[in-house]
Amino acid sequence: MSRALHRGEVALEATAKGAIGVETQVPPNADFFRQPLAPILTALGVAILVVLAISFARANGLIAALWGAGGLAMAAWLRSGRGLQYDLGFGVLVAAGVFAGEILAGNKLWLSALFTLSNVLEIVLAVVLTRRLVTGLHVDSVQGLTRFLTICAIAPLPSALLACAAVANLAEQDFLDAFRIWWSGHALGFAVIGVVGLSLRKAHLQLLKQPARLAEGLGLGLLLGSACYAIFSHLSLPFGFLLLPLILIAAVRFRVIGAAWALLVVSVVAIGGTMAGHGPYHQFGAEDRALLAQLLVLLGYMPILVVAALLEERDQLMQRAKEGRLRAERASAAKSRLLANVAHEIKSPIGGVIGIGELWAGGHVGQVTDSQVEMAQMLVKTARQIEALTHDLLDVARAEAGAVKVDLRPTEVSGVLEDVRRSMALLPEAEGLRIEVAADGDALVAMADSQRLTQVVGNLASNAMKYGASGGVVILRAAWSGDRIRIEVIDRGPGLSEDKQAQLFEPFNRLGLDRSSIEGHGVGLTLAKRLVELQGGDIGVHSVVGEGATFWVEMPGV
């Protein structure tokens, strides 16, 4: 028992400490000493890139034309973690890597310290601005990529001013030449390597499991590398026109990550070969060669990243649209099942209500007064309206679910219109209303399901009688329209505005007439649209406020 009590006390004490914050778990990536591997590897990579840049890409004796160390440090810093302790530790190791590379490359101590300070300054500035301005560190959208490239252009400016001013005063170097080479080389390194580092996702590693895509990528990389070598090596072949289409193909096939990798290859080979005295700019001086090679990549090829980002955004929008369509289809299917179930459950009790109401009105359940007869008849009328609604709901649900079968046969349209006219004339709403049939032309035969076409025209005529009765006439017209037969249901009522016309075929939308004396449920036109489409036809409306409305249906002719 004493051990149990002791364990309980220990647990209680631990809970209390956690509750008051005495001992809390360190958030991931907040403590530098818990994850030192990424900064250490980054520092080693930075030192190697510094040595390579100084050894092979110096343009004016001190400033390198391509500086990838800053891009590598920034991308690794952004991807590995954050938190004050982590950032401080990462920054110290990056500074150590830059300084070590400067010393190993043979720079003097004061120059190494100056360049280290300048490089760390621009790396920190790039990291801070990217964290604040690039949402989620995503560079696979036009907005994110544009912001990131802007940051890559801004971040090297203070360092370029500091380092080049010092070099101009202490080492008697031309300030403008040094500034433009520093800024171009460091901005290019940030942009190219930064985009590669930030756009790389786990999904891209799945290419390793797809032999066809992997072979395509390797083949494209081999072609690009071969073209770069042929252009910017001692061969100096005039094949520069090949690079742009190859980078575009990489962007189209692999989006941002493909374009970024292609630009990285081109930047390294083009600037390295140019600084070695090869390629199309070999006749210029070292500083001019460096500037021309940098401008070729920055202005000639870098815009392809924006094209890749546009394609990436299009893919994302298409995926979202696809997911939205699937959700809508599932929701529509669930709604259809619900409508069908509700309508089915209503049919049986409504039939019982109608039967009882008719027995009551006929005096078969006992003596009734005149007022009771009137009430029973109202009950039956209301129940029949509900019964008609359930039939419509069932038809709508079946039509949306694709369960309605249509039997397409040559159908005499004039006979359909006449049948509708006769049935409409028997309704109470037809009192004082003239219903006309106009068949323009002979052999008005459509390929349709006669029963469903009659149902559609009947729904349209019923609506015309309800909402356009003030015009005193409803016209049912049919005529040829090209190789299709156009059926029109015309009324001279108040008409419809454009806003209301846009909402007509939405289910349960009565256009604000829910509280009016006109009976309806807002499913007739929806059902008519579904049935017409199932028969390969089209349906629409033309109306002007104050001039009535014309609902039309076009069916394939025979």
Side-chain angles (χ1 to χ4, degrees):
M1 181 178 295
S2 62
R3 291 181 179 177
L5 288 173
H6 177 69
R7 287 197 299 270
E9 290 171 356
V10 172
L12 181 60
E13 182 181 357
T15 304
K17 287 182 178 181
I20 64 176
V22 175
E23 293 182 5
T24 56
Q25 185 178 1
V26 178
N29 295 334
D31 190 348
F32 168 76
F33 296 102
R34 292 178 181 268
Q35 296 190 9
L37 185 59
I40 291 174
L41 294 178
T42 302
L44 291 174
V46 165
I48 294 172
L49 289 179
V50 169
V51 173
L52 292 175
I54 294 174
S55 301
F56 299 104
R58 274 184 169 172
N60 64 348
L62 292 177
I63 309 300
L66 179 61
W67 193 261
L72 173 64
M74 176 193 64
W77 199 336
L78 289 170
R79 292 296 297 265
S80 60
R82 63 192 307 171
L84 181 59
Q85 287 184 332
Y86 190 91
D87 287 344
L88 288 175
F90 204 111
V92 169
L93 276 181
V94 167
V98 175
F99 187 77
E102 297 280 351
I103 294 296
L104 290 173
N107 280 338
K108 296 179 180 179
L109 187 62
W110 69 268
L111 192 60
S112 298
L114 172 64
F115 285 163
T116 298
L117 175 63
S118 302
N119 276 275
V120 172
L121 173 62
E122 66 185 15
I123 292 169
V124 170
L125 183 59
V127 169
V128 171
L129 291 177
T130 303
R131 283 177 176 174
R132 292 184 63 86
L133 300 179
V134 181
T135 304
L137 303 182
H138 292 306
V139 294
D140 49 3
S141 67
V142 174
Q143 184 184 56
L145 179 66
T146 304
R147 289 184 177 183
F148 180 72
L149 294 180
T150 304
I151 291 168
C152 293
I154 293 173
L157 290 176
S159 299
L161 290 172
L162 172 64
C164 296
V167 168
N169 290 326
L170 300 177
E172 298 182 355
Q173 297 285 322
D174 184 84
F175 173 78
L176 289 179
D177 286 340
F179 179 84
R180 68 186 185 183
I181 293 173
W182 177 292
W183 177 84
S184 300
H186 288 234
L188 187 60
F190 276 134
V192 174
I193 298 181
V195 172
V196 171
L198 294 182
S199 62
L200 188 62
R201 299 282 184 270
K202 289 183 179 180
H204 296 133
L205 301 179
Q206 297 299 318
L207 293 176
L208 300 176
K209 300 179 181 179
Q210 303 175 25
R213 292 283 284 169
L214 180 60
E216 180 184 5
L218 293 175
L220 185 59
L222 182 61
L223 283 175
L224 186 63
S226 301
C228 288
Y229 179 78
I231 297 166
F232 295 102
S233 70
H234 63 282
L235 300 176
S236 297
L237 299 177
F239 292 163
F241 63 90
L242 293 175
L243 294 184
L244 186 61
L246 287 174
I247 301 174
L248 275 173
I249 292 173
V252 170
R253 297 299 300 160
F254 298 96
R255 301 300 189 255
V256 173
I257 188 65
W261 274 107
L263 284 173
L264 180 59
V265 172
V266 171
S267 300
V268 172
V269 178
I271 296 177
T274 298
M275 298 313 300
H278 305 305
Y281 310 124
H282 66 276
Q283 71 271 25
F284 296 95
E287 295 173 3
D288 292 333
R289 288 203 308 267
L291 182 61
L292 289 172
Q294 291 169 338
L295 291 177
L296 174 68
V297 178
L298 285 171
L299 302 180
Y301 303 136
M302 190 69 69
I304 298 177
L305 282 174
V306 180
V307 176
L310 283 170
L311 294 174
E312 198 96 44
E313 274 194 353
R314 187 202 64 173
D315 292 343
Q316 294 172 2
L317 291 174
M318 290 177 62
Q319 181 63 28
R320 291 174 190 168
K322 181 179 179 181
E323 293 173 354
R325 185 175 67 252
L326 291 175
R327 287 195 297 269
E329 290 175 353
R330 287 194 293 267
S332 177
K335 178 202 69 177
S336 299
R337 289 194 300 270
L338 177 62
L339 288 177
N341 291 337
V342 170
H344 183 74
E345 293 297 326
I346 290 175
K347 283 181 64 177
S348 297
I350 284 298
V353 170
I354 293 173
I356 294 172
E358 289 177 340
L359 290 174
W360 183 20
H364 298 291
V365 294
Q367 188 175 1
V368 291
T369 63
D370 292 342
S371 61
Q372 290 174 332
V373 171
E374 184 179 357
M375 291 177 62
Q377 291 173 344
M378 291 177 59
L379 176 66
V380 171
K381 180 181 178 182
T382 303
R384 289 199 181 281
Q385 291 174 353
I386 297 175
E387 184 182 40
L389 174 62
T390 59
H391 286 297
D392 286 345
L393 289 176
L394 280 172
D395 284 339
V396 169
R398 293 192 187 110
E400 291 186 343
V404 173
K405 304 299 181 183
V406 292
D407 184 13
L408 299 180
R409 294 183 179 181
T411 301
E412 179 64 44
V413 176
S414 301
V416 170
L417 299 188
E418 186 61 31
D419 290 342
V420 171
R421 186 195 69 79
R422 291 174 181 173
S423 61
M424 293 295 109
L426 299 176
L427 298 177
E429 294 89 342
E431 185 176 354
L433 188 65
R434 189 171 77 256
I435 304 175
E436 300 178 356
V437 172
D440 301 336
D442 299 326
L444 295 174
V445 180
M447 185 61 68
D449 185 314
S450 60
Q451 180 182 355
R452 294 301 185 181
L453 183 60
T454 301
Q455 185 179 0
V456 169
V457 178
N459 277 345
L460 298 180
S462 176
N463 279 349
M465 292 170 58
K466 291 178 183 178
Y467 302 105
S470 59
V473 62
V474 171
I475 301 173
L476 309 179
R477 175 183 295 163
W480 282 99
S481 177
D483 60 348
R484 298 164 74 86
I485 293 180
R486 185 181 180 92
I487 303 170
E488 296 179 340
V489 178
I490 307 168
D491 67 69
R492 307 300 184 197
L496 297 163
S497 65
E498 291 185 1
D499 291 340
K500 290 184 177 181
Q501 291 179 45
Q503 306 172 44
L504 266 177
F505 297 99
E506 296 177 0
F508 306 106
N509 190 341
R510 295 197 62 209
L511 308 180
L513 297 175
D514 307 74
R515 299 181 180 275
S516 70
S517 59
I518 300 175
E519 298 175 354
H521 304 284
V523 296
L525 289 178
T526 301
L527 177 59
K529 186 175 187 296
R530 299 286 191 275
L531 294 177
V532 169
E533 291 172 346
L534 283 173
Q535 298 175 77
D538 297 305
I539 187 171
V541 63
H542 174 73
S543 179
V544 177
V545 175
E547 299 181 11
T550 299
F551 284 84
W552 56 266
V553 173
E554 287 190 353
M555 303 296 296
V558 177

